[in-house]
Amino acid sequence: MSVSTAPTRSRHRWFPLPHRLVRSLAGQLFVVQVVIVAAVVAGGAVLAYLFTAERTEDAARREVTSVAHAVADSPTVRSAVGGPDPTAVLQPYVEQVRQDAGVSFITVMDTDGVRWTHPLPEQIGKQYLGHIDWALAGQTRSETYTGTLGPSVRVVTPVWDDRHRVVALVSVGLTLESISAQLSGPLLALVGVAAGALALGGLGTYLANSRLRRHTHGMGPDELSHLYEYHQATLHSVREGLILLDRAHRVVLCNDAARELLGLEGELDGRPVDGLGLPEALVAAVLGEVPARDEVHLTAERVVVLNTSTIGTGLGRVVTLRDHTELQSLSGELDSVRGFTEALGAQAHEAANRLHAVVSLIELGRHEQAVEFATAELALAQQLTDRVVAAVSEPVLAALLLGKAAQAAERGVELTLTEDSRIDDGVLPPGLAPRDLITVLGNLIDNAVDAAIAGAAHSPVAPEVTVTARIEDPRRGDGGGAGAGVVGGVGVAGRGDARDGACLLLRVADTGAGIDPSAVEDVFRRGWSTKQDGRGHGLGLALVAQAARRNGGTVEVGRERGAVLTVRLPLAGRVRECEGATA
């Protein structure tokens, strides 16, 4: 026999909802607000009831007092008190007055408290239940007393004769039951108003909390707290930079990675993005109407990849940043290695041609010419290598120079190393990264070769690039000038200006058209290029300036036959100031 599980399913179906409602922040607020509203409404109802009851009892006292005075001052009562049968005259009279006045009882009694009138005829002639001492003393007072009709609010007043003597007493009262009956109407109205207020307050609270529950996704305080902690931990631990902007492009949130990538310090919340001191191109991309997608931008010390997107329907903007500096350096190294490979391939091809020529001369029996040809070609090929190896003991720079020389020769440009070039092994400090040397010298030589080739198209001068690489120290008297006609440069604020102490000097000169003095301010900005074939990206000199700035150095732009670019990098680390001669 199977047992139905329908009741169990029903119970599991209906009970989790209130439990989840109470667990959520909105549900807890709803319960608290309902309790508060109920307490306020109940308290107000109780206070209103007490106030109404007190007012009603006061009104009853005033009413019975006025009726008692009216009866005591009535000529009919005064004349009947002195008659032979007061009850016969007073009973019908006071009953009529009682009905007209709406009071519970009117009792006329003698000074001993024996009743002459009463709503219950059987009580006539019996002793009055209540206090009459003050009335006998000529005073009118009220009290709440339990008599034959039950608890009542009553007043006793004296009846005076012509000689101002108390000859009788009049008591008028309203039972508490009748007073309660008078309160039933206002009380019902009060209960209705309280119930309406509670319902309206509960409905408003439910609607407000329903909206809150939608915004909090039904989560409780603990869940929201944990979510906030995870949110903060995630934002500040990820390596990608994240910036949130509001509608007015003010910073709402900036995580640690973004601060590091952009070099931002201090309090950022509420500051406009165009007031953070960021490069103009980066700010323009962030504020642009079109979302940025993997755009490469340069900051003071880094290459970053920028992405932007809109939050919701115009609520603000999300800016994400990725560090592209290391990847850019690796790309430069890869380009250098690719250049080395192409140069080696070209040299292998040339060597094969020369070997065929030597073999052919030997086969023809011209041994002396074969030896002379082989020796001459070997001397020409070895001359630059020997010069570079002898002058530059730093392996990274030596390999770069040899590779760039082969590349330049392949393109018909002669690359030479000046006689005063010399860098001993171990001179460069560990803080000067080889990648930065490749970035600086490699980009300078590449731009110089392109400029020399472009200049040769409009001039009979053979394209040539001259490289100077040496350690200069003005304190030893070896700080030479930067060359004729220095027209501008880029320095690094806050780290010295590379003008006080020994430093590495890298200078590259070409036979091209040179750099227009009016373009010196723009030459190191991303996107600036003189190439007209669409192959230039305008990134090389910007990376040179960035690498120099990152290492506390300077870049100067000069002119001889063509452009002369001089980079000075301090040897005592990134914070030690270093000086070279000022052109």
Side-chain angles (χ1 to χ4, degrees):
M1 182 178 65
S2 63
V3 179
S4 175
T5 58
T8 302
R9 289 196 300 268
S10 177
R11 183 170 60 252
H12 283 251
R13 178 181 179 184
W14 290 105
F15 278 90
L17 180 58
H19 178 64
R20 179 172 179 82
L21 179 65
V22 174
R23 284 183 53 196
S24 68
L25 176 62
Q28 293 182 16
L29 290 177
F30 174 73
V31 172
V32 172
Q33 290 173 350
V34 167
V35 171
I36 292 175
V37 170
V40 170
V41 171
V46 171
L47 291 177
Y49 172 76
L50 294 177
F51 177 76
T52 303
E54 184 178 358
R55 293 290 299 271
T56 302
E57 188 172 342
D58 290 342
R61 293 180 186 277
R62 290 194 298 270
E63 181 180 358
V64 296
T65 301
S66 62
V67 172
H69 283 303
V71 172
D73 294 338
S74 171
T76 302
V77 173
R78 288 184 177 182
S79 62
V81 166
D85 190 4
T87 301
V89 178
L90 296 177
Q91 178 67 11
Y93 171 73
V94 297
E95 280 299 305
Q96 183 64 42
V97 173
R98 182 183 68 81
Q99 294 176 5
D100 294 340
V103 295
S104 299
F105 66 87
I106 300 177
T107 299
V108 182
M109 68 196 84
D110 61 15
T111 55
D112 293 327
V114 178
R115 301 189 188 101
W116 287 331
T117 64
H118 196 277
L120 300 177
E122 62 270 16
Q123 297 295 329
I124 297 175
K126 295 182 179 180
Q127 190 69 31
Y128 172 78
L129 301 180
H131 300 90
I132 61 174
D133 295 341
W134 57 77
L136 293 174
Q139 299 179 7
T140 301
R141 291 188 181 181
S142 64
E143 65 175 344
T144 301
Y145 196 86
T146 302
T148 57
L149 300 179
S152 62
V153 175
R154 58 182 63 184
V155 65
V156 181
T157 188
V159 178
W160 304 91
D161 62 4
D162 296 337
R163 290 181 290 181
H164 201 68
R165 292 180 303 175
V166 176
V167 293
L169 303 175
V170 176
S171 176
V172 180
L174 280 172
T175 62
L176 296 183
E177 183 179 356
S178 64
I179 296 176
S180 299
Q182 296 178 12
L183 285 174
S184 60
L187 182 60
L188 290 176
L190 180 61
V191 172
V193 171
L198 180 60
L200 184 61
L203 179 61
T205 301
Y206 175 77
L207 295 177
N209 283 277
S210 296
R211 180 179 179 86
L212 178 62
R213 187 163 53 252
R214 288 196 300 270
H215 287 300
T216 58
H217 302 285
M219 290 185 290
D222 293 338
E223 294 171 312
L224 289 174
S225 177
H226 292 162
L227 180 63
Y228 175 78
E229 292 174 358
Y230 295 149
H231 170 270
Q232 291 296 316
T234 301
L235 288 180
H236 293 287
S237 62
V238 295
R239 295 184 60 186
E240 287 73 16
L242 175 65
I243 301 177
L244 300 182
L245 305 177
D246 60 11
R247 290 188 179 91
H249 301 141
R250 293 187 298 264
V251 177
V252 177
L253 181 140
C254 180
N255 69 348
D256 298 340
R259 286 176 175 269
E260 182 179 357
L261 290 175
L262 300 179
L264 302 176
E265 296 179 355
E267 182 62 33
L268 300 179
D269 293 348
R271 294 177 57 183
V273 69
D274 54 0
L276 301 178
L278 301 178
E280 295 180 1
L282 180 60
V283 174
V286 170
L287 301 181
E289 296 182 359
V290 179
R293 292 290 181 269
D294 293 331
E295 292 188 7
V296 179
H297 290 269
L298 272 72
T299 64
E301 296 184 358
R302 296 180 183 273
V303 181
V304 297
V305 178
L306 173 70
N307 284 277
T308 63
S309 60
T310 302
I311 304 175
T313 56
L315 296 178
R317 186 162 299 187
V318 178
V319 180
T320 58
L321 303 162
R322 299 196 308 274
D323 192 356
H324 204 258
T325 307
E326 184 176 355
L327 181 59
Q328 189 67 40
S329 300
L330 292 175
S331 299
E333 293 183 19
L334 181 60
D335 291 341
S336 299
V337 172
R338 186 183 293 112
F340 298 157
T341 304
E342 293 175 355
L344 290 175
Q347 289 181 353
H349 186 268
E350 291 297 322
N353 291 336
R354 293 165 186 167
L355 182 60
H356 286 306
V358 171
V359 171
S360 298
L361 288 174
I362 293 176
E363 290 177 349
L364 293 175
R366 299 184 179 184
H367 301 85
E368 294 181 0
Q369 290 88 343
V371 173
E372 181 180 353
F373 178 78
T375 304
E377 289 298 322
L378 181 61
L380 289 175
Q382 192 66 27
Q383 183 177 2
L384 180 60
T385 302
D386 293 341
R387 175 77 188 98
V388 170
V389 172
V392 181
S393 300
E394 176 62 35
V396 174
L397 289 179
L400 180 65
L401 287 171
L402 291 175
K404 293 300 181 183
Q407 285 182 329
E410 184 76 11
R411 299 179 64 184
V413 178
E414 182 182 1
L415 189 148
T416 60
L417 191 65
T418 59
E419 294 295 332
D420 59 343
S421 296
R422 183 171 185 81
I423 300 177
D424 296 328
D425 192 14
V427 173
L428 300 183
L432 192 57
R435 289 178 180 175
D436 288 340
L437 296 179
I438 292 175
T439 298
V440 172
L441 191 56
N443 281 290
L444 290 180
I445 293 177
D446 289 342
N447 285 348
V449 170
D450 292 338
I453 294 175
H458 305 88
S459 172
V461 178
E464 181 181 356
V465 173
T466 304
V467 178
T468 302
R470 71 170 187 265
I471 304 299
E472 66 174 11
D473 190 348
R475 293 171 294 188
R476 297 201 308 263
D478 58 354
V486 172
V487 296
V490 175
V492 181
R495 292 184 180 169
D497 56 0
R499 297 182 181 279
D500 184 15
C503 62
L504 171 64
L505 181 141
L506 300 175
R507 179 180 296 137
V508 178
D510 60 63
T511 56
I515 297 176
D516 190 342
S518 62
V520 171
E521 296 295 332
D522 301 323
V523 70
F524 296 104
R525 294 179 182 173
R526 178 183 178 274
W528 186 90
S529 178
T530 59
K531 299 185 176 103
Q532 304 297 327
D533 56 1
R535 296 169 53 193
H537 296 86
L539 195 60
L541 290 180
L543 290 174
V544 170
Q546 186 188 71
R549 186 182 296 110
R550 186 163 53 243
N551 290 277
T554 59
V555 184
E556 292 179 345
V557 179
R559 183 181 182 89
E560 291 178 353
R561 287 182 298 174
V564 179
L565 283 94
T566 304
V567 177
R568 289 184 175 88
L569 303 175
L571 295 183
R574 299 180 61 175
V575 297
R576 168 90 179 267
E577 296 180 355
C578 119
E579 175 176 355
T582 303

